[in-house]
Amino acid sequence: MHPKKRQIIDIAMVVLTGIFSVEMTMKIVAHGLVVGPGSYLKDGWNVLDGSLVLVSWIDVIITYSTASAPEVLGALKVFRALRTLRPLRMIRRAQGLKLVVQTLLYSLKLIGNTVLIAAIFFVMFAILGVQIFKGTFHFSEGNSRVKNKKECLESSKGHWENHM
């Protein structure tokens, strides 16, 4: 990606995270964090908003500290995938869309066993595919007569490569 575009995206991320943080802070001050009938953490949508703001701040910290930080922070880049949940913040304001998402989540509970069985079959066939096709997509570049990696490495004409 072009460095200028990356810089614009990073600045927008910090600005939006700041705006969402101010919104979350105002709600916590107005309604309370835990105590009270309309407190912030008693509403599931607020919990989602708060967790997204927290993940966004973790992402900002990772983005601006990876140049000098140890590689441990690199493992936390998984949190960047959770940024895809940001559009869910808008669902709270659209009642029709909110109903669709709630229905979808409710139906996921009911079809859990079916998903579990399908996942088991998927894993079984994945293991079978790995066992059947392991190493078959590799070839010797430069020497087409060799049959395996050992022969290729002993040959001075080619090197072992992957088709993919």
Side-chain angles (χ1 to χ4, degrees):
M1 181 181 289
H2 195 269
K4 186 81 168 170
K5 288 181 184 178
R6 180 78 244 165
Q7 186 179 16
I8 291 171
I9 290 172
D10 288 342
I11 291 171
M13 178 179 65
V14 172
V15 169
L16 288 174
T17 301
I19 291 170
F20 292 149
S21 297
V22 168
E23 177 194 12
M24 182 179 84
T25 305
M26 288 172 43
K27 284 183 181 179
I28 290 173
V29 169
H31 300 291
L33 183 64
V34 180
V35 181
S39 63
Y40 188 78
L41 292 179
K42 287 189 178 178
D43 185 14
W45 293 102
N46 284 338
V47 172
L48 176 68
D49 285 349
S51 61
L52 287 175
V53 169
L54 179 67
V55 166
S56 296
W57 277 116
I58 291 171
D59 187 32
V60 167
I61 291 168
I62 291 170
T63 300
Y64 288 106
S65 66
T66 53
S68 62
E71 292 185 15
V72 175
L73 288 178
L76 295 176
K77 288 184 180 179
V78 172
F79 286 116
R80 289 183 176 181
L82 295 176
R83 290 189 297 184
T84 59
L85 296 176
R86 284 182 183 165
L88 289 178
R89 292 176 49 90
M90 302 317 289
I91 290 175
R92 148 185 273 173
R93 284 137 181 96
Q95 290 299 323
L97 195 55
K98 185 176 178 181
L99 181 64
V100 169
V101 170
Q102 287 175 340
T103 305
L104 177 66
L105 293 176
Y106 178 73
S107 67
L108 286 177
K109 293 176 187 174
L110 299 177
I111 62 170
N113 291 334
T114 307
V115 170
L116 183 63
I117 291 170
I120 289 171
F121 276 108
F122 184 75
V123 168
M124 286 181 2
F125 283 110
I127 293 170
L128 182 64
V130 168
Q131 291 298 316
I132 291 174
F133 296 115
K134 61 181 174 186
T136 58
F137 296 115
H138 287 80
F139 67 101
S140 177
E141 179 70 35
N143 191 354
S144 61
R145 290 188 218 149
V146 295
K147 302 287 186 222
N148 58 26
K149 184 177 182 178
K150 183 179 176 185
E151 289 179 13
C152 179
L153 294 177
E154 290 173 356
S155 168
S156 62
K157 293 182 179 178
H159 59 280
W160 199 245
E161 287 192 10
N162 190 352
H163 282 287
M164 298 304 196

